[in-house]
Amino acid sequence: MNLHEYQGKQILNSFGVRIQRGIVAHSAAEAVDAAKQLTAETGTKWYVVKAQIHAGGRGKGGGVKLAKSLQEVEEIAGKIIGMDLVTPQTPPTGKRVRKVLITEDVYYPGPSETSEFYMSVLMNRAKGRNMIMYSTEGGMDIEAVAEKTPHLIFTEEIDPTIGLLPFQARRIAFNLGLSGNAFKEMTKFVTALYTAYVSADASLFEINPVLKTSDDKIMAVDAKVVLDDNALFRHQQYADMRDLNEENPIEVEAKAVGLNYVDLDGNVGCMVNGAGLAMATMDLIKQAGGEPANFLDVGGTADAKRVEEAFRIILKDPAVKAILINIFGGIVRCDRVAQGVVDAYKNMGDAIKVPIIVRLQGTNADIAKALIDNSGLAVQSAVEFQEAADKVQAVLA
Ligand code: GDP
Ligand code: MN
């Protein structure tokens, strides 16, 4: 599950990671109140208005703006709230901004220069270890750094059973070129950040920039946090942070009926049982010259009700030109699935306007094929994988 910047920062703060202070606002008027409150709490003279959407690169797209007075806060917040913000990470039409984070300005002048670092915590699956990636070249162009000067990105591997050791935190602070108080602050920051990552059951923390202020404090100015969905059951307060406005509406609906659905860009809808078979089916569709419109794993109970729900979800995507049903009947018998397909088709009446190819393999596959073939419906059956692919190819041609 993805979080907004302000939610990610709340989590960081709760584990003692220093953050740039901010207050969420849903309107220009709330933004002004937030700014006043921030000045009362932190003494800040300037503010930053930051669009809250589930995408990075907001600065480049005009979604992060410095405001030097309450009047500017009002003007800028008024403009950003309600806009469709386009960034390198959003769809070309952008994402609607529904709220902004008003923050204190932390790039104030002082005894030393400010520096922007990059830092992320994630899992290195190949090594079975957690990993902190970091760089002196933080800020808005980290992708270019990774591409052109990858030697400027360091990694620190952490054994999950031992945790982050003090010398590792010191090595990070050292490699970032810090000394004195900033060095101490950085070791504290990294240690708290790693604790937060593990404790929150996160799969990604990306803090870009981590700022060294002009008076040598280290803080998170941005926060991209992704939590592991499978662990949300033990973090109700994080599960409540889900923002359905930011998610694909078809995926939200699929989740509500317990279907494992991921929306994709192609034209062939697929309904499959089992994630592995779903992946293989998507490959098959590509080989046949189509593009999968979705990943959909209906799971172990492909009865009529479930098949119908899956049909309805697939058909919500207007790009779908054909549907391929590829079910292996192990525990669930093929004839029951076939009956489910036929019943669902009949129940849905005119809703299904695209050709359907059904491949049922496994227990009672022959009975299932006969059921489909004799149903009188515009459903084509296939037994072999290749046969199904050929039929998909034929209907797309
Ligand atoms: P992103 O563009 O979506 O990654 O959003 P960020 O939260 O990283 O903000 C973008 C940029 O805004 C940062 O890289 C900073 O350069 C700038 N910025 C953020 N906070 C402040 C601030 O308090 N003062 C000033 N002057 N600039 C800031
Ligand atoms: Mn950023």
Side-chain angles (χ1 to χ4, degrees):
M1 179 174 86
N2 291 318
L3 296 181
H4 286 293
E5 173 197 356
Y6 77 92
Q7 297 167 323
K9 281 178 165 172
Q10 270 170 23
I11 295 179
L12 294 178
N13 186 48
S14 72
F15 287 97
V17 181
R18 191 196 295 275
I19 54 163
Q20 174 195 39
R21 293 263 301 112
I23 298 169
V24 177
H26 300 83
S27 67
E30 275 184 37
V32 172
D33 288 343
K36 284 182 187 155
Q37 197 181 326
L38 281 171
T39 297
E41 284 173 18
T42 68
T44 191
K45 299 265 178 328
W46 292 353
Y47 314 92
V48 187
V49 182
K50 309 181 80 177
Q52 298 299 291
I53 54 168
H54 284 190
R58 296 163 302 164
K60 283 185 179 160
V64 177
K65 287 251 181 345
L66 188 66
K68 299 186 177 177
S69 65
L70 291 176
Q71 196 192 332
E72 282 185 23
V73 168
E74 186 171 10
E75 282 167 19
I76 296 169
K79 268 193 206 131
I80 292 183
I81 296 171
M83 83 187 276
D84 291 317
L85 180 58
V86 180
T87 85
Q89 295 181 21
T90 63
T93 49
K95 288 198 110 177
R96 177 66 47 90
V97 182
R98 294 184 164 81
K99 45 195 167 186
V100 290
L101 182 63
I102 309 299
T103 73
E104 58 175 331
D105 167 36
V106 287
Y107 287 57
Y108 46 80
S112 67
E113 291 290 305
T114 58
S115 325
E116 291 184 323
F117 305 121
Y118 171 90
M119 189 170 291
S120 57
V121 192
L122 63 164
M123 185 166 69
N124 182 334
R125 288 174 188 274
K127 300 223 166 139
R129 287 173 171 227
N130 291 321
M131 184 165 83
I132 297 178
M133 284 176 69
Y134 60 102
S135 176
T136 50
E137 310 301 301
M140 293 199 275
D141 279 310
I142 191 66
E143 286 83 5
V145 176
E147 201 174 312
K148 296 188 188 117
T149 49
H151 60 280
L152 295 177
I153 298 179
F154 299 96
T155 58
E156 186 71 43
E157 277 176 22
I158 300 135
D159 185 324
T161 57
I162 297 175
L164 180 77
L165 292 167
F167 85 90
Q168 295 182 295
R170 289 198 295 273
R171 177 154 63 195
I172 292 171
F174 179 81
N175 283 339
L176 290 173
L178 298 172
S179 59
N181 197 46
F183 183 100
K184 272 192 226 149
E185 279 259 332
M186 183 57 85
T187 58
K188 264 172 49 190
F189 182 91
V190 172
T191 308
L193 186 70
Y194 184 77
T195 304
Y197 171 84
V198 173
S199 309
D201 286 312
S203 47
L204 174 71
F205 270 17
E206 187 180 51
I207 316 297
N208 186 30
V210 173
L211 185 73
K212 184 194 82 65
T213 62
S214 61
D215 51 358
D216 284 354
K217 292 188 188 109
I218 302 291
M219 67 171 68
V221 165
D222 193 3
K224 177 184 168 81
V225 169
V226 182
L227 300 177
D228 182 347
D229 287 331
N230 297 311
L232 280 178
F233 72 94
R234 52 184 188 191
H235 302 287
Q236 190 56 48
Q237 77 277 30
Y238 302 157
D240 293 342
M241 291 178 171
R242 166 157 266 139
D243 184 348
L244 295 180
N245 283 323
E246 294 290 328
E247 299 186 15
N248 179 309
I250 310 180
E251 290 181 8
V252 170
E253 207 174 310
K255 191 169 277 167
V257 295
L259 289 168
N260 200 349
Y261 174 93
V262 181
D263 195 30
L264 300 170
D265 292 332
N267 52 1
V268 181
C270 22
M271 189 191 304
V272 189
N273 65 339
L277 186 57
M279 300 300 280
T281 304
M282 288 158 63
D283 285 349
L284 182 88
I285 289 170
K286 273 204 147 201
Q287 253 180 26
E291 286 286 336
N294 64 274
F295 167 99
L296 172 57
D297 174 8
V298 295
T301 51
D303 57 12
K305 184 162 170 288
R306 216 165 158 72
V307 170
E308 188 172 332
E309 275 163 351
F311 267 136
R312 287 193 194 281
I313 298 281
I314 292 173
L315 289 170
K316 285 193 193 276
D317 179 351
V320 168
K321 297 279 171 295
I323 297 176
L324 172 59
I325 303 178
N326 191 9
I327 303 264
F328 179 76
I331 294 168
V332 51
R333 288 164 13 218
C334 291
D335 53 319
R336 287 204 41 197
V337 178
Q339 194 60 54
V341 172
V342 171
D343 291 350
Y345 200 106
K346 284 185 178 155
N347 280 343
M348 292 183 66
D350 294 340
I352 303 176
K353 295 204 168 63
V354 297
I356 296 175
I357 295 116
V358 185
R359 174 191 182 246
L360 292 162
Q361 190 56 280
T363 311
N364 291 353
D366 42 350
I367 305 176
K369 182 168 168 34
L371 249 164
I372 300 272
D373 290 344
N374 300 331
S375 67
L377 299 171
V379 181
Q380 306 181 40
S381 67
V383 177
E384 297 303 328
F385 221 15
Q386 190 56 50
E387 193 187 349
D390 293 343
K391 289 192 168 164
V392 169
Q393 197 159 28
V395 300
L396 289 179

